[in-house]
Every structure is written in structure tokens, then in C-alpha cells.
């Protein structure tokens, strides 16, 4: 028979136990954080009618979409994010769900991007959204969830950069280029990638006069020196430019007044250069960077949108939400050594030196005490099973030989120090291996 | 703008919070059970080279496979199970992983089946396999995991039906129809669906003489009256027919001798009619039915195979594993009322009657005590927020009005009894709502 070479598609990734277990632990922590705030899970399919996905997302995302004809000749597509399916979901079930509606959704999405280091064609998103309310409370809460979720993952130094799309809209309005706002935003969004000079050149093609470009760029580069509220205080005068700017600044003030007693000040700041290229944001927006790995980019971004369901309904549906890029965040946690990687998910390996039946019995009793136990599946020479323990990185090995079975006690070996303990009871073993 | 009707593809399913939360709780319990035994998670992509998936699975599964050309003109396909990707994975990384290797994998698979009630084109499988060992210990452990996992989910009455493919092979050998074993198996596998008479008719076309058919059918219908070991005792004489039959029966004896002190007797039995149609099983096999819902079919099936990686390597790779059909099991748990469904994942809803900032502060303090708190995102008339609490099915509502803020204490309402408690501290609230 012809053999097939075992390989994954370019841009797709297997996860071996070390990384898959780290990711599983992350997901447990993340869902727990979401649920602390009363966000409920929902699930939507990986495949949707292509028509539903086709009307949203940038041209680039549209080009990268995986779509094809199914067995019934329907044009179907793999989802490229969790937001478009959410819009479809909300439109479909809004009467049943009731508003406001808070959901989280964790799932894989697919984009046929050009393959490059650290970018995959299938990746995991963790979205959480608060739909059907314009209250500043929902913006507050999304930021609180970001802080809590990242803190719960063990991160001790990150910054949530906050801005309001209305400020930028108001500035463009003031400069008389309101109709080009989205275009200008898309260019400015790339400033960190392409640099200030190239940004200026691109902005000229809008067309935008050089003094207006300078005005815009100097505005967005105003830095927060002390607190968020003090920067907002400095920007008071801009409120008189127009109502859009006024609203934008006042919303940030309201937000930051609540945040000041809720989040530690070091973890968030006003950053007027945050743009979030995506067309659908309309209010407060944010990105999150790890202080020790700024080059990683944003690990959690989001904001407020006013027209989530515009392709499905004429009724406006406002909401606010954010998305954690799980693969990127996992890479960050691994690089910062904030998540342990191990091959084994058990606390100890039990090695049967004499007979299988009592070994499985002993493992069962230990599991009932709440510890995870792997049993080496065969009575073999100690060398082979100890090699396995080493390969898997087990610190603790429980040994069950003829004597131990006869005396109804157990031996334990510390594989790191080489020390061996004898005549232990199950409880003593539990205490040692869960220290 | 033309509006799009929001809908899912036929055979695909959304899960609203009630069901998605029930499923999430199930998955947490299942992964915890797998990890008790030292099974590690792995992840493989949803998309694979079609070539890799095309050589395995029945003709029917092949027809149902979703495959298409990707952006790079590669023929790709959505996985239809987690076993073929496992075979690819093991072949690809076996040196890195080391053997024996125990993994679990939870993920969605896709089959373009004819749409019918309770059958979906995308569904979730939970697979756990023990690769690279022929030791009876690994068969024991897979059965132990099935028992533990289902018990941990709250199931109190289920039966693991155990058989050995070698017994059937040995019988066919004895009857001189060894080469038709797989064909005969496939027919007998359908006996519960099509009935005894239709099975006989089909078997005649093999061709198989009527006395041989009767011999086969009467053998597989021998019932276990008391214990597994006592049925095996009754079958002693068959060991002399040939070595295949002998091996099959002896393996079951060895297995059941270890199981008798490990699993309660009511939860497993020898069932000689279990066939597992799939060609790749070669040894001990099993299916699991819920005693109170036998019509649901098997919720967890599996067995031993000798040639997992045959399409990728000439080296034989033995293993044993099983798969939980999560959607079917969830349907069963829901029908048996063994899993609670609720719209809310929080312990209580906090309603701000006066001001947002202290409400978020209070919720934060409660969360730090370990309870999940949802905050109604707006200061509104009580009617509206209490309606929301009712709609979401909250039993507990924490009320934060002007007095409560001034006095630094809290009011709590039991929405079921209508009773209201005042002047509570955070700790008292925690105690009440987590009772």
C-alpha cells in the first residue's frame, strides 16, 4: 500500500501535550473569569452560509475567507471571526434571549492569510460582549473583565490603552474631512508599523493638507503623564470644538471616574492614538499590551459599536465587547514563563513491579483522595518504567512491589533528589505529592 | 440595503446559554476525569489534507466528507472524526512523544449526513486513547475512565457492554468463513436496527448456510445471567475450537479479573453481540448504554486496534481508546434531568438603584469572596431591573440604594419567596447566596 506522509497544512498547527495542556489551563481560567461577571457561554457552528459572512469584514478578510459548495450545493464558509456569527445569533434569537444580553464565546476561526511566523490560518478567539445597552456601566464592565481575566492568568504588568472613536470623529469633523474619517483612521492605525513619515505621506493622498496632518498627529500623540483623569482635564478646551468631541471626552471622563476606584491606576491609560481600524466601532475603544512584551501587539482589543446587526435588521443594536487572541496571549505567557508546561497532567506515576490488579486498586484509592495518578500499564523491569517516568518529567513515582502489597503500604521516589520513602500510607503519599 | 435572513445551515446548531452552559459544565467534568488518569490533551486542526482523511473511514463517511480546494489549490477537508487525525499526529511526532502515549482530544467533527432528528452535521467528540501498548492494563484503564467519567457526570445507572473481536473472528474461522468476517460483522452490527429475520436474510447472501447462521446468532445471543466471569466460565469449551477464540476468551477473563475489584459489577457486562462495525478494531471492544434511556444508543464506544497508523507507516501501532458522543450524552443528561439548565452563570444580580460606581465596587468585593456577580448595567426604575432578574431566573437580587451606600450595608431579595433581608454585610450576603 502507498504510504502517506503525515503532515499538517501550511499555516495550521498541532499542539503537543505541553502546549495543549497550557492552553487548556488558560481556557479554564479565562472562562472562570468571564463567569465571575455573569457572562454566559453560547455556541455557533464553524460553518455558516457564505452570504452571512460575506457582507462583513474588510476586503482583505473577505479574500482570505474559506468558502465552498457543500453537498446540497449551498455556498458555505468557515467563520473568520466570532462577531459576525454573534450578529446573526442575536438577530435570530433576540426575543428569546432578552436584552441586555451578555455572552462569551470561545472558538476557532479561519483566515487563509499569507503564511508568516506566529500567524496561523486557524486560531482561537475568546470573545465577550455586552449587547443591547448604551450604559457606560457596560463599558466599565468590559474593561474590568479584561483586567480580571489577565490578572487571573498571572499577568502582573499590562496596560489597557483606552480611547474614544468619537474624539477622532470630532477632530475630522472640525478639520472638515468628516467623510474621510474611516480612511484616515485606517492609515493612522498603521502608524506603529509604517512609521510617522510614511503615515504623513499616505494621509496626503486623502487629500489632507499638511497643517491638518500635523494637527491630527500632534493631538493623537499627547501622552498621559500622570492619571487618566488629569490628561482628560488638559483636554477640556477641545469640548468646545463640536458636540462629537464633547461627547467623546465626557464619556471617557465618566468611564475613568468609575474606573479609578475599580482598577489599579497602573493598568490602564488614555491613549489617543489607538484607532482600531475596523469600521464598526463607534465609541470607547481599547487595546491591551503586555509591558514586558510590547512587540507582541495587543492581546485583547475591543470597543463599543452601534450597529452590530445592521445586515440582518433595520433596528439598531448597540453593544460593547472585546476579544482575546488566545494563541498570541499563550505565546506571551510562555515567553514570560507565566505558565508551566509539562508533559504529564498527573501528580505521580505508579509503577507496578509485581501485579497489575492491586496497582489499579491503589491508584483508584489515591484518585478518590483527589490526586491524579497515572499507572504504568505493565509489570516490567524497573528500568523501562523509570525511563518512562523521566521522559514524562514526573517528580514522583509510587512503587508497588511484592512487599508493599503484602504489607499494604507504599514506596515513593523523588525523581529529582533520588530520595526514596518507604512504608507510607495513601494519605502520606497524597501529602507528599501534592505539596 | 438588502437585509439577510439570519439562519443556520441545515444540520448545524446554535447553542443558547442554557444548553451551552450545561455543555461547558459537562466538558469541565469530563476533562477533569480524563486528567485523573494522566491523559494529556492534544489539539489538531479542523482542516487537513483531504488525502490524509480520504483513505480511512467507511464509504459512507467518505461520501459525507466536506472537502474543497483552498486558496493555494490544495485539496483540503474538514475532519470527520478525531481518530484519523490522531493516527496522523502519532506518526508525525512519535519520536518526540515517546510510547506509551495517552492523550485526550475534544473537538468538533463534520459529516454531511442526511439531516434527521437528533443528528447533526457538526458534532463534538471526546476521545481518549492509550497508544503503543498491548498490555491488558491499558484496556482496563480505558474502561475505568469510562466508568469514572460517566459517574462524575452524575449518571447512576449505565452499562458498559464488553466483547472481544477475536471471539467473533474465531467463530468465523471455525465456520470456515474467515475471509467474510468483516462483512458478517457489518451485518450483525445492524441486528438491533433491522431485526433478526432481516439479519438472517442478509447473512444468506454472504453466502452463509442456515445452520451456520443459527450457530452464530445463538452464540452471540448468550446472555450474562450473573457475573461476567461466570458467563466466561460457561464458555470454557469454546477455547478448544481454535487459538483465536481461546485468546479472545482469555483476554476477557484477564480483564474481568482485574475489573471485579475495580468497578461495581452492575456497571459492566459481557455482551457477545457487540460488534462495532468499524473495520479497525482487533481486540476487546465496548459500548455504553444508559439504563434509563436504552433507545439513545451508545454514548461511549471504543476498543483495541492494532494498526492505527497503517496509512502512514509500515510499523504496526497498537492502541486502545474510546469516544464519548457529547451531543448525544448531553441530550441524555437533559432528558434524565441530571444536569441543571440555567440562563445565568452568576450567583446573584446586583441592582444599582442610586449610583453605578459603588455598585461596581460592591460587586468587585463580592467576587473577591469567590461569588459570581452580575451587575445590572444601569441605574433605572426597579421595575425594569427586576423584570430582567426574573427573565434570567435569578433567585437572589442584591439591592444597592442610597441608604445602603450611606450605611455601607446591603439588601438582598429572595425572588422565589419574595422575602427581603436588610443591613447585611458582604460576608452575610455571600453565605446566603451560596447556600
Amino acid at each position: 500500500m502507498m504510504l502517506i506522509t503525515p503532515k499538517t497544512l501550511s499555516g495550521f498547527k498541532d499542539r503537543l501535550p505541553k502546549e495543549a495542556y497550557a492552553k487548556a489551563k488558560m481556557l479554564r481560567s479565562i472562562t472562570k473569569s468571564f463567569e465571575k461577571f455573569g457572562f454566559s457561554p453560547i455556541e455557533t457552528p464553524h460553518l455558516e452560509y457564505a452570504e452571512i459572512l460575506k457582507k462583513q469584514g474588510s476586503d482583505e478578510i473577505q479574500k482570505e475567507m474559506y468558502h465552498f459548495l457543500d453537498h446540497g450545493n449551498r455556498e458555505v464558509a468557515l467563520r473568520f471571526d466570532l462577531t459576525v456569527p454573534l450578529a446573526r445569533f442575536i438577530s435570530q434569537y433576540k426575543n428569546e434571549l432578552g436584552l441586555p444580553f451578555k455572552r462569551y464565546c470561545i472558538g476557532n476561526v479561519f483566515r487563509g492569510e499569507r503564511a508568516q511566523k506566529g500567524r496561523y490560518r486557524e486560531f482561537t478567539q475568546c470573545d465577550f460582549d455586552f449587547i443591547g445597552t448604551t450604559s457606560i456601566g457596560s463599558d466599565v464592565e468590559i474593561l474590568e473583565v479584561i483586567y480580571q481575566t489577565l490578572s487571573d492568568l498571572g499577568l502582573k504588568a499590562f496596560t489597557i490603552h483606552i480611547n474614544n472613536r468619537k474624539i477622532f470623529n470630532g477632530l475630522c469633523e472640525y478639520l472638515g474631512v468628516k467623510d474621510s474619517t474611516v480612511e484616515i483612521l485606517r492609515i493612522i492605525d498603521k502608524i506603529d508599523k509604517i512609521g510617522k513619515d510614511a503615515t504623513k505621506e499616505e494621509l496626503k493622498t486623502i487629500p489632507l493638507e499638511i497643517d491638518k496632518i500635523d494637527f491630527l498627529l500632534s493631538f493623537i500623540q499627547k501622552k498621559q503623564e500622570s492619571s487618566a483623569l488629569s490628561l482628560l482635564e488638559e483636554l477640556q478646551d477641545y469640548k468646545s470644538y463640536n458636540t462629537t468631541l464633547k461627547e467623546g471626552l465626557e464619556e471617557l471622563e465618566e468611564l475613568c471616574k468609575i474606573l479609578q476606584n475599580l482598577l489599579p491606576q497602573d493598568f490602564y491609560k488614555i491613549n489617543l492614538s489607538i484607532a482600531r481600524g475596523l469600521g464598526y466601532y463607534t465609541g470607547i475603544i481599547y487595546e491591551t499590551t503586555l509591558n514586558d512584551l510590547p512587540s507582541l501587539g495587543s492581546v485583547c482589543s475591543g470597543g463599543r459599536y452601534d450597529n452590530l446587526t445592521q445586515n440582518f435588521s433595520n433596528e439598531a443594536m448597540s453593544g460593547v465587547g472585546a476579544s482575546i487572541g488566545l494563541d498570541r496571549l499563550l505565546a506571551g505567557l510562555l515567553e514570560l514563563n507565566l505558565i508551566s508546561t509539562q508533559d504529564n497532567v498527573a501528580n505521580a506515576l505508579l509503577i507496578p513491579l509485581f501485579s497489575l490488579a492491586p496497582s489499579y486498586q491503589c491508584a483508584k484509592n489515591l484518585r478518590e483522595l483527589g490526586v491524579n495518578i497515572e499507572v504504568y500499564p505493565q509489570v516490567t523491569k524497573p528500568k523501562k518504567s523509570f525511563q518512562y517516568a523521566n521522559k514524562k518529567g514526573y517528580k514522583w513515582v509510587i512503587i508497588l512491589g511484592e512487599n508493599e502489597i503484602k504489607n499494604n503500604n507504599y514506596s515513593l521516589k523523588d525523581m529529582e533528589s533520588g530520595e526514596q520513602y518507604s512504608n507510607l500510607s495513601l494519605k502520606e503519599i497524597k501529602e507528599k505529592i501534592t505539596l
Side-chain angles (χ1 to χ4, degrees), chain A:
Chain A
M1 199 171 76
M2 270 282 284
L3 294 181
I4 307 169
T5 308
K7 61 178 181 195
T8 45
L9 286 159
S10 163
F12 288 79
K13 190 176 162 52
D14 291 318
R15 284 192 202 276
L16 275 64
K18 269 195 207 335
E19 221 182 289
Y21 189 43
K23 184 174 165 188
K25 283 187 289 185
M26 269 181 88
L27 283 178
R28 275 171 225 181
S29 171
I30 289 172
T31 51
K32 218 173 139 185
S33 307
F34 291 166
E35 290 174 7
K36 279 186 188 169
F37 292 82
F39 286 78
S40 311
I42 68 161
E43 262 183 45
T44 65
H46 287 80
L47 271 184
E48 297 262 2
Y49 280 102
E51 184 197 28
I52 282 174
L53 304 185
K54 269 192 168 165
K55 286 234 185 156
Q56 304 204 30
S58 66
D59 291 352
E60 211 181 330
I61 284 181
Q62 286 299 324
K63 250 194 300 187
E64 295 166 354
M65 190 163 72
Y66 286 91
H67 58 102
F68 58 97
L69 293 177
D70 77 356
H71 304 82
N73 247 359
R74 285 168 289 250
E75 211 198 340
V76 300
L78 286 165
R79 63 187 181 192
F80 57 80
D81 74 4
L82 302 173
T83 303
V84 183
L86 172 66
R88 198 258 308 144
F89 183 92
I90 294 280
S91 309
Q92 202 166 334
Y93 308 106
K94 62 173 175 260
N95 295 330
E96 206 169 325
L97 296 169
L99 295 177
F101 175 64
K102 293 159 77 169
R103 80 91 174 82
Y104 73 84
C105 185
I106 293 171
N108 283 16
V109 301
F110 303 81
R111 295 182 194 175
E113 291 188 80
R114 197 168 54 80
Q116 49 183 311
K117 195 178 167 292
R119 306 278 284 186
Y120 293 99
R121 290 176 173 157
E122 174 176 4
F123 53 98
T124 307
Q125 292 192 325
C126 309
D127 278 25
F128 48 109
D129 288 81
F130 203 146
I131 316 287
T133 172
T134 55
S135 162
I136 195 78
S138 52
D139 301 85
V140 167
E141 196 169 82
I142 295 288
L143 288 163
E144 221 186 337
V145 174
I146 296 176
Y147 170 74
Q148 188 70 51
T149 306
L150 297 183
S151 298
D152 289 351
L153 285 170
L155 283 161
K156 297 210 175 353
F158 56 89
T159 307
I160 311 175
H161 305 263
I162 307 174
N163 196 6
N164 193 334
R165 185 58 79 77
K166 286 179 184 169
I167 293 175
F168 202 84
N169 293 349
L171 287 174
C172 288
E173 205 179 310
Y174 170 72
L175 296 175
V177 289
K178 194 175 163 185
D179 292 343
S180 308
T181 307
V182 172
E183 246 177 303
I184 296 175
L185 258 176
R186 290 231 167 105
I187 296 168
I188 288 198
D189 205 17
K190 298 183 293 183
I191 194 166
D192 286 341
K193 258 191 226 164
I194 63 174
K196 202 168 164 176
D197 291 340
T199 307
K200 277 187 175 185
E201 288 308 312
E202 272 204 54
L203 286 172
K204 280 184 194 163
T205 66
I206 290 286
L208 196 63
E209 294 90 341
I210 185 70
D211 58 328
K212 292 184 178 176
I213 293 177
D214 287 337
F215 173 85
L216 262 183
L217 292 186
S218 85
F219 182 90
I220 65 166
Q221 284 173 339
K222 288 180 196 298
K223 291 266 173 285
Q224 173 182 321
E225 301 296 345
S226 59
S227 74
L229 283 168
S230 69
L231 174 61
L232 293 170
E233 185 61 38
E234 286 168 34
L235 301 174
Q236 284 301 319
D237 291 349
Y238 289 91
K239 286 188 188 169
S240 62
Y241 283 29
N242 54 47
T243 49
T244 315
L245 253 168
K246 184 163 183 278
E247 262 182 49
L249 288 164
E250 283 178 353
E251 283 173 10
L252 284 184
E253 275 166 19
E254 206 185 345
L255 178 80
C256 292
K257 274 184 192 150
I258 303 182
L259 286 185
Q260 69 180 335
N261 293 314
L262 221 49
L263 305 193
Q265 250 191 53
D266 290 349
F267 287 84
Y268 68 96
K269 69 166 155 207
I270 302 291
N271 182 335
L272 300 165
S273 73
I274 296 293
R276 306 292 318 132
L278 283 169
Y280 60 75
Y281 289 116
T282 52
I284 292 169
I285 49 176
Y286 23 83
E287 296 184 351
T288 314
T289 53
L290 306 186
N291 298 0
D292 301 320
L293 277 179
S295 62
L296 194 67
S298 176
V299 294
C300 182
S301 315
R304 173 166 291 284
Y305 40 81
D306 278 337
N307 266 311
L308 181 66
T309 56
Q310 59 180 343
N311 287 340
F312 305 104
S313 157
N314 290 319
E315 211 178 307
M317 178 76 73
S318 184
V320 55
S323 180
I324 295 173
L326 197 81
D327 306 82
R328 186 182 280 187
L329 185 54
L330 174 57
L333 290 175
L334 289 172
E335 197 166 333
L336 294 172
N337 278 319
L338 284 175
I339 194 158
S340 69
T341 54
Q342 57 199 77
D343 247 348
N344 54 69
V345 302
N347 303 87
L349 177 72
L350 190 150
I351 294 184
L353 288 184
F354 181 69
S355 164
L356 286 180
S359 306
Y360 283 105
Q361 188 62 50
C362 165
K364 183 187 169 201
N365 296 338
L366 277 166
R367 288 188 198 110
E368 277 164 11
L369 294 178
V371 287
N372 294 351
I373 299 291
E374 177 172 5
V375 180
Y376 191 78
Q378 232 170 328
V379 177
T380 48
K381 296 218 173 75
K383 199 182 159 201
K384 206 171 158 192
S385 41
F386 275 95
Q387 258 173 2
Y388 178 80
N390 273 324
K391 164 102 189 151
K392 292 278 166 180
Y394 274 110
K395 176 177 165 62
W396 295 108
V397 166
I398 302 161
I399 301 155
L400 210 61
E402 197 175 356
N403 277 331
E404 283 87 356
I405 294 170
K406 208 161 53 190
N407 303 326
N408 201 21
N409 63 31
Y410 311 92
S411 299
L412 184 69
K413 183 168 181 178
D414 182 334
M415 300 291 283
E416 285 164 15
S417 69
E419 219 168 329
Q420 191 158 328
Y421 308 87
S422 301
N423 303 317
L424 299 181
S425 70
L426 289 176
K427 265 185 93 174
E428 286 167 325
I429 287 198
K430 184 201 158 159
E431 272 158 32
K432 282 219 174 291
I433 68 178
T434 54
L435 255 191

